[in-house]
Amino acid sequence: MFATNLTDTPCSHPHIPKLTEAEIDVEIQRLDEAFVKILGVRPKYIRPPFGEIDERTASYIQSKHGKTIVLWSADSGDSIGGSAQDSYDFYANFARAGPAG
């Protein structure tokens, strides 16, 4: 199902390794509540902002919240000011190229 494959990213874009467990809980709970309210589902995956995650926070998120950590291998540049068209072009090219290998 599409909805169960959604990935969330904390709204405030914190540097997760710098957060306490209580702060991680707040970030994840706020997102889960928003997803449930809007879409009726709780995401199974989380993508840490900036791709920053360490063993302590990954282990905590997985054990406490049951989320799978998802990282990425390509960047559209949107986080450094790329336009919507830049993102569209990037993903269109990415999709056309198919899986690497």
Side-chain angles (χ1 to χ4, degrees):
M1 245 187 171
F2 171 75
T4 59
N5 291 325
L6 291 174
T7 302
D8 60 12
T9 298
C11 295
S12 66
H13 269 69
H15 295 273
I16 290 186
K18 295 181 179 181
L19 299 181
T20 65
E21 290 178 354
E23 290 169 325
I24 291 170
D25 291 344
V26 168
E27 289 287 338
I28 292 175
Q29 288 164 356
R30 285 178 56 210
L31 279 169
D32 281 354
E33 288 170 5
F35 270 85
V36 168
K37 182 178 179 182
I38 296 166
L39 300 172
V41 296
R42 181 171 280 110
K44 296 179 181 180
Y45 307 97
I46 187 167
R47 184 188 63 79
F50 317 104
E52 294 177 354
I53 195 84
D54 60 15
E55 184 57 37
R56 175 190 70 88
T57 53
S59 177
Y60 180 75
I61 290 168
Q62 290 166 340
S63 65
K64 170 77 186 263
H65 296 279
K67 302 234 184 235
T68 299
I69 309 297
V70 177
L71 299 175
W72 61 95
S73 59
D75 187 354
S76 68
D78 64 322
S79 66
I80 57 170
S83 68
Q85 186 63 50
D86 292 337
S87 289
Y88 176 84
D89 292 344
F90 172 83
Y91 288 111
N93 291 332
F94 189 81
R96 273 193 295 278

